[in-house]
Amino acid sequence: MTDYEKIQYLDRLRDTIYPSRKELYKMVVMSSRELNEGQKLFFYSAINGNYKPLRFLGRGGYGKVFLCQDNRNNFLAVKLAEMGNEWDRDACLSEIEINNQCKEKGILCAIPYLSGTTSFTKIKNAQLYGYQPVQFVMPIGLSYTNFIRQYVQKRSSGLSSTEACFLLYNMFSVIEEIHRNGIVHRDIKPENFMLVVSSSGNVQLMLSDFGTARIFEKTGMYTENKGTTFYIPLQLRKDQSMKMSTVDSQKQDVYAAAITAYRILDRFEPLREGTKKLQILLSYPNQTSKPSGCLDERLWDILKPIIHNSNNIYRIPTAKEVCKSLDRILFPNSKRQPYTGQYGAERQTQHDSPKPPSNRGKPTSGPKNGGHTTPSHDTGGFNPKQENPGYGIKKEPVHKAKAQYDGKQQGGFSPKKNSGGSSRHSGQKRKNGPEPDIQDIIKSLLK
């Protein structure tokens, strides 16, 4: 299978598993809360610019996030942080610096900051008396945690092998992308993964909250360990003075992603205080057993060496190695080098090999040389050509006669059309007119 065919297959999985553009906005609004008087007072005391708060989306790493409308009637997410000490300043500066680095290098897996975000210079020169407001303006996004929980609720049988493998592959490929471009996050957790509508109109997985991140080409060795305790390897929790190389820091990200993957496969079951499962994950990770929702032993075989080596990070594989292992599950018949570049809705280079010639109007007797247009392995009951089991566009059944061209049956792989973007992105028109834009969608939900 060529890289082009792999990406086409991954696109089909994405469009079937992830919510459409309209569904994502609906899920964001439904998971938000009405503003109380205290939140309104905080917003108007901290905001800089013409933004109207509509709903409270939640609390970030060091700020509060609001669904807002600007003076051009665009709907955006605005995170407001209060900078009261040097640690706050460093976190805000890191956010801006990493975001600028991602834009310069064309990294598409970090949530971009838009016009209206407080500038790097203004944050750096701010006088720290009391609390100085800092704002970050960004596209609207849905928490990965909320998405997985709602998706699993719609699936009585849980995640199939292919669904679970795709979710993990997408997540680790995002981490591999930032590592490959010289960035280490240091606070990977489910809350920092977001589903965002990209500039192409597709729903894409992105990382947020780069306040503790570092560009490791500049930092070299350092001893300051960051992150949320539950997602930090046991070895680093025991030795806070341990010097961290760039590779060690990357493996901290990989460990945190493995714990996140464990929670996804465990259907985000609550880890209540005092429970045996929480105690094992915190203090005895090497005794962790397979999550209850993991139907494919191969996925646990990938995560187990990472989690069980919590006390020896040198034995934890890199994100690229994890992607290769997941690649072999998704594409078992592929003879080429596994595709480990960041998989998302937007890519500057879609494929390395030229697009295969079209079979339009030609009879097909099946792939040549034993090749496959889609993986032939067991997908655990999931087939992206079937009706969508969760979110995404549901395809109407097509009569066999309609699937012919000039009286000849069509073959080959056909990527799924209309991934949920608006008509201005996809060029598709519905029978009842173009798909409503984001303003129409959110206005109807807020009525």
Side-chain angles (χ1 to χ4, degrees), residues 2-199:
T2 65
D3 288 347
Y4 174 78
E5 290 171 327
K6 287 182 180 181
I7 294 175
Q8 293 293 295
Y9 180 66
L10 290 170
D11 283 344
R12 286 283 291 271
L13 288 174
R14 179 203 63 201
D15 294 344
T16 309
I17 295 173
Y18 286 162
S20 68
R21 189 167 175 257
K22 181 177 180 179
E23 289 166 335
L24 183 137
Y25 293 139
K26 182 178 180 180
M27 293 168 73
V28 170
V29 173
M30 296 302 290
S31 63
S32 64
R33 300 196 298 271
E34 290 187 5
L35 295 167
N36 58 39
E37 291 302 319
Q39 290 165 347
K40 289 180 182 178
L41 183 64
F42 169 77
F43 182 88
Y44 285 113
S45 66
I47 196 67
N48 178 25
N50 224 344
Y51 298 96
K52 177 184 177 182
L54 301 175
R55 304 277 289 183
F56 182 68
L57 295 178
R59 185 181 295 273
Y62 52 94
K64 298 176 181 178
V65 186
F66 298 84
L67 173 62
C68 299
Q69 188 175 18
D70 65 10
N71 56 358
R72 296 182 178 180
N73 293 325
N74 295 316
F75 290 92
L76 305 160
V78 177
K79 181 170 74 172
L80 295 175
E82 290 184 321
M83 187 171 60
N85 52 49
E86 288 296 336
W87 188 92
D88 292 340
R89 191 208 298 270
D90 289 343
C92 291
L93 289 174
S94 177
E95 285 264 13
I96 301 296
E97 184 182 18
I98 297 294
N99 202 266
N100 291 338
Q101 179 90 345
C102 290
K103 289 178 181 178
E104 290 174 6
K105 293 191 172 185
I107 302 173
L108 304 171
C109 60
I111 293 182
Y113 290 138
L114 309 175
S115 176
T117 299
T118 307
S119 69
F120 184 92
T121 304
K122 188 173 182 179
I123 296 173
K124 189 174 183 178
N125 297 333
Q127 298 295 322
L128 296 180
Y129 55 89
Y131 286 93
Q132 302 300 311
V134 179
Q135 68 187 42
F136 303 91
V137 183
M138 63 194 87
I140 298 170
L142 174 68
S143 164
Y144 210 42
T145 307
N146 289 341
F147 161 69
I148 296 293
R149 281 176 174 161
Q150 293 187 47
Y151 187 80
V152 171
Q153 286 177 0
K154 287 180 173 284
R155 300 275 291 160
S156 57
S157 59
L159 295 172
S160 71
S161 172
T162 300
E163 289 172 316
C165 191
F166 170 81
L167 294 174
L168 269 59
Y169 184 86
N170 199 179
M171 184 176 65
F172 277 101
S173 64
V174 165
I175 296 171
E176 194 274 333
E177 171 76 357
I178 64 169
H179 286 178
R180 183 157 38 88
N181 285 279
I183 298 171
V184 58
H185 191 279
R186 300 203 297 167
D187 194 18
I188 297 291
K189 55 186 176 182
E191 294 80 4
N192 287 341
F193 285 99
M194 305 286 289
L195 289 179
V196 179
V197 177
S198 65
S199 58

Side-chain angles (χ1 to χ4, degrees), residues 155-318:
R155 300 275 291 160
S156 57
S157 59
L159 295 172
S160 71
S161 172
T162 300
E163 289 172 316
C165 191
F166 170 81
L167 294 174
L168 269 59
Y169 184 86
N170 199 179
M171 184 176 65
F172 277 101
S173 64
V174 165
I175 296 171
E176 194 274 333
E177 171 76 357
I178 64 169
H179 286 178
R180 183 157 38 88
N181 285 279
I183 298 171
V184 58
H185 191 279
R186 300 203 297 167
D187 194 18
I188 297 291
K189 55 186 176 182
E191 294 80 4
N192 287 341
F193 285 99
M194 305 286 289
L195 289 179
V196 179
V197 177
S198 65
S199 58
S200 68
N202 293 315
V203 174
Q204 179 180 348
L205 182 64
M206 294 187 182
L207 264 175
S208 64
D209 284 345
F210 283 82
T212 60
R214 291 291 180 269
I215 302 172
F216 57 69
E217 293 174 342
K218 294 183 179 180
T219 57
M221 300 288 288
Y222 51 90
T223 58
E224 188 180 24
N225 297 329
K226 295 290 185 180
T228 306
T229 303
F230 185 75
Y231 298 93
I232 298 177
L234 192 61
Q235 182 180 3
L236 302 184
R237 280 183 267 149
K238 288 181 177 179
D239 186 3
Q240 293 293 326
S241 62
M242 176 182 172
K243 288 189 175 182
M244 298 276 289
S245 68
T246 56
V247 176
D248 295 338
S249 299
Q250 289 177 340
K251 291 186 175 183
Q252 178 183 344
D253 281 355
V254 173
Y255 179 83
I259 297 295
T260 301
Y262 179 93
R263 300 217 58 205
I264 290 174
L265 296 177
D266 206 33
R267 305 170 187 175
F268 281 109
E269 290 184 4
L271 295 173
R272 296 182 178 87
E273 192 70 30
T275 59
K276 183 178 179 181
K277 183 180 289 187
L278 177 61
Q279 188 65 26
I280 289 175
L281 284 170
L282 277 174
S283 304
Y284 309 100
N286 61 329
Q287 299 179 16
T288 305
S289 58
K290 187 178 75 171
S292 58
C294 182
L295 303 179
D296 192 333
E297 194 72 33
R298 295 173 298 176
L299 296 178
W300 178 235
D301 288 341
I302 294 172
L303 299 178
K304 182 179 177 180
I306 303 174
I307 298 174
H308 282 201
N309 280 308
S310 177
N311 209 24
N312 186 0
I313 62 172
Y314 306 111
R315 299 183 66 180
I316 292 176
T318 63

Side-chain angles (χ1 to χ4, degrees), residues 337-407:
Q337 182 70 19
Y339 172 80
T340 55
Q342 192 270 326
Y343 171 74
E346 292 182 297
R347 289 175 294 275
Q348 288 179 325
T349 304
Q350 289 269 337
H351 52 85
D352 297 328
S353 59
K355 184 175 180 179
S358 173
N359 290 329
R360 188 173 179 84
K362 298 179 181 180
T364 56
S365 57
K368 296 181 180 181
N369 300 326
H372 295 274
T373 53
T374 56
S376 61
H377 62 289
D378 178 22
T379 59
F382 177 80
N383 185 341
K385 294 182 180 179
Q386 296 174 351
E387 184 174 311
N388 182 5
Y391 297 103
I393 301 300
K394 294 185 178 181
K395 297 184 71 175
E396 296 295 330
V398 181
H399 192 273
K400 185 176 181 180
K402 294 182 180 180
Q404 296 180 353
Y405 179 77
D406 290 340

